[in-house]
């Protein structure tokens, strides 16, 4: 029996009747429409019903629960009753006011009741008693919205869902706030009756809400089921990353091409996990997820937690990809593999020496990749002398402090730029070491936004062979995707997907 696709609901908060008539027809890609009537005291529900064939939810939220309704319970009950009388599909009534509103209503016809509660708490000892009490009032859907103050608060969904399932109830649980964004996506996989979205980036009705476009075309949430696995990008910060768009697009495409296959690849949903505290993240999330892309500052911290590591991690001491098999986690370094692929055609020039700009994890991957190609003259420059001297000692390289690199007369055939310098929005910046570029060199920049950094623009003007960060990103992403999904994917397929991602949201 096929699993039911997840439903998406657009939440609207119009301030005038003209906005109602303008916004509702734009929601044709939604499965349901929530109409927040916080700014209305009367409205013609017959006219509204005629605007769409989508199921309609009507609610009026008071300031205590994040709304703007300033009228009396009697006036609010009157609007709800008009909605019922005109065949509106759902009314959403706040549990705190249920004793004042529900006795005034005649729930006739097909109108269903959503019983909702919003709280600033994220403590399970506060939430479960409220939910238990809510179940004493018969309703068609129970909606409990709490507040997330950190990434781990998204996991509060699990005890709530477990409790609701035991009751056999339909439910909607998620967290408010930017920190709770993942709870809306995780809640969809765990069985929420539907997922609330905004119509666009300007129409958000609650902090942390995702847009309908992101839900449908970014996360492909309408194609997911309760059997979809969870993976994502771990690091801090991660908001600037567009990897979630790429991986979700690749898996959506692979699922469509696998419909007739007996053993399709794994289905997953790829999220961002912005976590500064690695230990806290790992303790709380490792049992809930199946794979991770790992970025700064955790590429080295993760290694002691792994059951096994690939030769690429052993050589570099850096892990940017972790995949779970059974209960065991295995680590890989797809950055190193991508760098090797990109530099392989230029071994003759590399033999003349290479300058690596930066002392972080990507610099370490670059140096290890060079050593595996038997490149002997490797120079490392950066501001962190302690880190630079460590890399120099480990890989038999030469460390040059960044403030001295332009004063030294060293000959190199390639420069590899591994720092965030020049990344959007600080695109005008140039890293120390740019001064060493000469005609005929190879110049690789790991920064992929913008596609052609100022560092590479300067190298291009000097007739260097330029390797953009996008090429590294595409190759490492292809290798990551194969590890996550178990499906083969070509570099050209990933490049085509990436071109679509670059235009996303335009």
């Amino acid at each position: 029996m096929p699993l039911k696709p997840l439903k998406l609901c657009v939440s609207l908060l119009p301030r005038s009747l003209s906005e109602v008539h303008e916004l509702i027809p734009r929601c044709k890609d939604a499965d349901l429409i929530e109409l927040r009537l916080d700014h209305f005291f009367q409205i013609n529900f017959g006219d509204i019903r005629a605007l769409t064939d989508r199921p309609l939810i009507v609610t009026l939220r008071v300031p205590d629960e994040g709304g703007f309704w300033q009228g009396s319970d009697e006036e609010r009950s009157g609007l709800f009753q008009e909605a019922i009388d005109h065949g509106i599909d759902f009314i959403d009534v706040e549990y705190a006011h249920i004793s004042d509103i529900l006795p005034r209503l005649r729930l006739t016809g097909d109108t269903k009741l959503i019983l909702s509660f919003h709280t600033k708490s994220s403590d399970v000892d506060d939430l479960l008693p409220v939910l238990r009490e809510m179940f004493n009032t018969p309703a068609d859907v129970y909606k409990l919205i709490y507040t997330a103050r950190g990434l781990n608060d998204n996991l509060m969904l699990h005890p709530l869902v477990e409790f609701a399932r035991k009751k056999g109830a339909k439910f909607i649980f998620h967290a408010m706030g930017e920190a709770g964004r993942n709870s809306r996506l995780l809640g969809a996989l765990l069985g929420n009756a539907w997922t609330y979205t905004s119509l666009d980036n300007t129409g958000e009705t609650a902090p942390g809400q995702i847009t309908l476009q992101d839900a449908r075309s970014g996360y492909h949430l309408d194609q997911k089921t309760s059997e979809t696995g969870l993976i994502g990008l771990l690091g801090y910060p991660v908001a600037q990353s567009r990897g979630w768009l790429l991986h979700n697009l690749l898996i959506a495409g692979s699922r469509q091409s696998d419909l007739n296959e007996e053993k399709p690849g794994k289905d997953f949903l790829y999220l961002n996990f912005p976590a500064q505290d690695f230990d806290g993240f790992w303790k709380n999330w490792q049992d809930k997820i199946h794979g991770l892309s790992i970025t700064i500052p955790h590429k080295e911290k993760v290694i002691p937690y792994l059951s096994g590591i690939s030769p690429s991690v052993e050589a570099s001491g850096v892990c940017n990809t972790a995949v779970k098999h059974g209960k065991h986690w295995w680590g890989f370094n797809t950055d190193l593999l991508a760098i090797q692929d990109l530099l392989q055609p230029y071994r003759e020039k590399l033999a003349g020496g290479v300058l690596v700009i930066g002392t972080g994890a990507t610099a370490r991957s670059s140096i290890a990749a060079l050593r595996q190609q038997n490149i002997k003259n490797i120079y490392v420059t950066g501001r962190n002398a302690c880190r630079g001297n460590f890399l120099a000692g480990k890989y038999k390289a030469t460390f040059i402090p960044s403030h001295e690199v332009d004063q030294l007369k060293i000959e190199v055939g390639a420069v590899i730029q591994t720092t965030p310098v020049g990344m959007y929005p600080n695109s005008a910046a140039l890293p120390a070491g740019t001064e060493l570029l000469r005609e005929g060199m190879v110049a690789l920049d790991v920064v992929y936004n913008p596609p052609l950094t100022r560092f590479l623009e300067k190298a291009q003007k000097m007739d260097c062979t330029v390797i953009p960060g996008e090429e590294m990103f595409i190759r490492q992403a292809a290798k990551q995707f194969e590890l996550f999904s178990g499906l083969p994917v070509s570099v050209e397929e990933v490049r085509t997907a990436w071109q679509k991602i670059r235009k996303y949201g335009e």
Side-chain angles (χ1 to χ4, degrees):
M1 182 177 176
L3 295 165
K4 293 182 179 179
L6 307 182
K7 291 183 177 181
L8 303 174
C9 175
V10 168
S11 182
L12 302 176
L13 182 60
R15 287 166 175 75
S16 66
L17 188 59
S18 62
E19 278 194 21
V20 173
H21 283 265
E22 187 265 326
L23 293 174
I24 287 182
R26 291 172 53 194
C27 300
K28 57 183 181 298
D29 290 334
D31 299 303
L32 305 90
I33 301 171
E34 180 193 50
L35 198 57
R36 290 267 306 271
L37 296 178
D38 298 17
H39 300 290
F40 291 80
F41 285 88
Q42 60 181 7
I43 195 166
N44 189 323
F45 286 103
D47 287 348
I48 291 175
R49 179 69 279 176
L51 291 174
T52 182
D53 60 356
R54 297 293 187 267
L56 284 170
I57 304 168
V58 166
T59 189
L60 301 93
R61 203 160 304 292
V62 298
D64 285 349
E65 299 212 357
F68 303 94
W69 172 258
Q70 299 289 345
S72 66
D73 287 335
E74 184 177 2
E75 289 169 315
R76 184 156 50 154
S77 300
L79 269 175
F80 279 136
Q81 189 61 57
E82 286 186 44
I84 294 167
D85 294 342
H86 284 86
I88 298 301
D89 303 88
F90 295 90
I91 58 169
D92 182 329
V93 181
E94 295 168 6
Y95 178 66
H97 296 263
I98 199 72
S99 60
D100 297 317
I101 293 175
L102 203 55
R104 303 173 190 265
L105 301 181
R106 301 182 307 279
L107 278 168
T108 58
D110 296 325
T111 300
K112 295 179 173 59
L113 174 65
I114 302 168
L115 196 60
S116 66
F117 185 81
H118 293 67
T119 175
K120 294 181 179 180
S121 175
S122 59
D123 188 335
V124 68
D125 292 332
D126 294 334
L127 302 180
L128 281 177
V130 170
L131 190 57
R132 186 178 294 110
E133 189 177 314
M134 289 174 70
F135 282 142
N136 292 328
T137 301
D140 297 283
V141 180
Y142 294 88
K143 177 181 169 186
L144 195 159
I145 312 301
Y146 61 98
T147 302
R149 292 175 176 81
L151 179 64
N152 292 338
D153 287 339
N154 290 277
L155 293 175
M156 195 54 59
L157 293 177
H158 287 277
L160 299 177
V161 168
E162 183 181 358
F163 185 76
R165 282 176 176 167
K166 288 179 180 177
K167 294 290 184 178
K170 282 189 175 183
F171 57 85
I172 297 171
F173 304 137
H174 68 249
M176 294 182 287
E178 285 300 321
R181 181 178 295 267
N182 281 350
S183 70
R184 298 171 181 270
L185 300 158
L186 181 57
L189 302 185
L190 291 175
N192 277 348
W194 53 79
T195 300
Y196 287 94
T197 69
S198 61
L199 184 56
D200 53 39
N201 286 319
T202 64
E204 185 181 276
T205 61
Q209 200 170 66
I210 61 176
T211 67
L212 180 61
Q213 181 187 20
D214 281 354
R216 195 175 289 282
S217 302
Y219 294 105
H220 304 271
L221 202 59
D222 53 318
Q223 300 177 24
K224 304 303 177 183
T225 71
S226 59
E227 293 188 352
T228 297
L230 197 64
I231 65 174
L233 172 63
L234 170 64
Y236 195 89
V238 293
Q240 76 285 356
S241 173
R242 294 169 75 81
W244 66 275
L245 285 164
L246 179 62
H247 281 287
N248 285 319
L249 178 59
L250 290 172
I251 195 62
S254 69
R255 299 298 289 180
Q256 290 173 3
S257 64
D258 281 344
L259 290 179
N260 297 320
E261 297 288 338
E262 291 184 5
K263 294 182 179 180
K266 302 170 187 175
D267 183 34
F268 59 73
L269 179 66
Y270 190 103
L271 310 180
N272 281 344
F273 297 113
Q276 292 177 282
D277 173 21
F278 178 84
D279 292 340
F281 172 85
W282 193 259
K283 176 183 176 182
N284 287 282
W285 287 88
Q286 63 160 316
D287 293 333
K288 309 292 191 302
I289 52 181
H290 301 279
L292 286 170
S293 305
I294 304 164
T295 188
I296 54 174
H298 304 313
K299 288 184 179 183
E300 296 168 33
K301 293 177 183 176
V302 66
I303 294 175
Y305 294 83
L306 303 173
S307 301
I309 58 175
S310 69
S312 59
V313 175
E314 188 172 3
S316 63
V318 173
C319 173
N320 79 325
T321 309
V323 181
K324 185 163 64 175
H325 294 287
K327 294 184 178 181
H328 300 286
W329 283 88
W330 299 87
F332 305 84
N333 186 346
T334 64
D335 282 342
L336 184 150
L337 300 176
I339 292 167
Q340 282 183 327
D341 284 352
L342 288 169
L343 295 181
Q344 181 66 31
Y346 308 106
R347 289 190 66 185
E348 287 187 14
K349 290 188 177 181
L350 300 179
V354 180
L355 173 68
V356 177
I357 302 174
T359 58
T362 309
R364 188 167 178 174
S365 296
S366 300
I367 298 167
L370 293 169
R371 279 294 180 223
Q372 289 191 340
Q373 296 192 42
N374 296 316
I375 305 303
K376 294 182 172 54
N377 297 323
I378 302 174
Y379 303 91
V380 185
T381 186
R383 293 178 297 178
N384 190 327
C386 180
R387 178 80 177 181
N389 284 314
F390 166 78
L391 294 179
K394 181 174 180 62
Y395 295 102
K396 296 181 173 58
T398 301
F399 173 65
I400 306 169
S402 57
H403 64 277
E404 296 179 8
V405 68
D406 62 334
Q407 303 167 21
L408 298 181
K409 305 294 184 182
I410 59 173
E411 295 289 335
V412 295
V415 179
I416 302 175
Q417 203 295 108
T418 71
T419 75
V421 176
M423 182 185 295
Y424 177 85
N426 300 313
S427 307
L430 277 172
T434 305
E435 302 84 358
L436 269 67
L437 289 171
R438 298 290 185 271
E439 182 179 347
M441 283 185 178
V442 174
L444 166 62
D445 195 336
V446 304
V447 172
Y448 62 84
N449 184 17
L452 194 66
T453 61
R454 191 176 172 209
F455 170 79
L456 291 183
E457 284 179 350
K458 185 165 183 178
Q460 198 171 59
K461 289 177 182 177
M462 301 182 72
D463 291 327
C464 295
T465 298
V466 166
I467 305 175
E470 280 191 338
E471 289 302 312
M472 177 181 160
F473 176 77
I474 288 168
R475 280 168 172 76
Q476 71 83 24
K479 296 177 189 298
Q480 263 189 357
F481 179 78
E482 291 181 354
L483 290 168
F484 289 146
S485 68
L487 296 172
V489 65
S490 70
V491 170
E492 284 307 314
E493 287 175 300
V494 179
R495 182 178 287 109
T496 299
W498 181 245
Q499 293 303 321
K500 293 180 181 179
I501 297 308
R502 287 176 61 180
K503 298 176 182 178
Y504 183 83
E506 292 181 357

